[in-house]
Amino acid sequence: MPHWIKLVVTLVLLTTIANLGILSYLLAPQRPVAASRELFDHPGLKKAVESIAQAKGYLTEAEVEKIIERCRVVPGGKINCD
């Protein structure tokens, strides 16, 4: 078998493996990641807590802490608070 055919077959196999890896990463179920302390100053987190506070009325500091504990950063950089 000529050398160039081996090279082409090898490149095709490597490309296929790389494409399968990328595809499996993109199609994998996305799980939330726990929010770290650095994100507590994030404007999206503040907005989410303010929205919940407006919906529920007055909140105590303990209630706000409980809300923040339930907040997660979902893939794509969005913050989701249950």
Side-chain angles (χ1 to χ4, degrees):
M1 189 180 320
H3 179 68
W4 67 273
I5 293 178
K6 290 179 183 179
L7 180 65
V8 170
V9 169
T10 303
L11 289 175
V12 168
L13 285 174
L14 290 175
T15 303
T16 303
I17 292 170
N19 286 339
L20 289 174
I22 292 170
L23 202 68
S24 66
Y25 173 77
L26 293 175
L27 296 178
Q30 298 178 346
R31 292 175 288 227
V33 180
S36 66
R37 283 280 179 209
E38 294 86 34
L39 292 173
F40 288 168
D41 292 330
H42 188 280
L45 179 65
K46 288 182 180 180
K47 184 178 178 183
V49 173
E50 287 172 2
S51 297
I52 293 169
Q54 287 176 356
K56 293 187 176 188
Y58 177 78
L59 294 176
T60 64
E61 186 176 341
E63 291 172 323
V64 171
E65 287 177 6
K66 285 181 183 178
I67 291 171
I68 291 173
E69 288 174 1
R70 291 192 312 256
C71 291
R72 301 288 179 257
V73 179
V74 294
K78 295 183 179 180
I79 296 176
N80 183 15
C81 297
D82 299 333

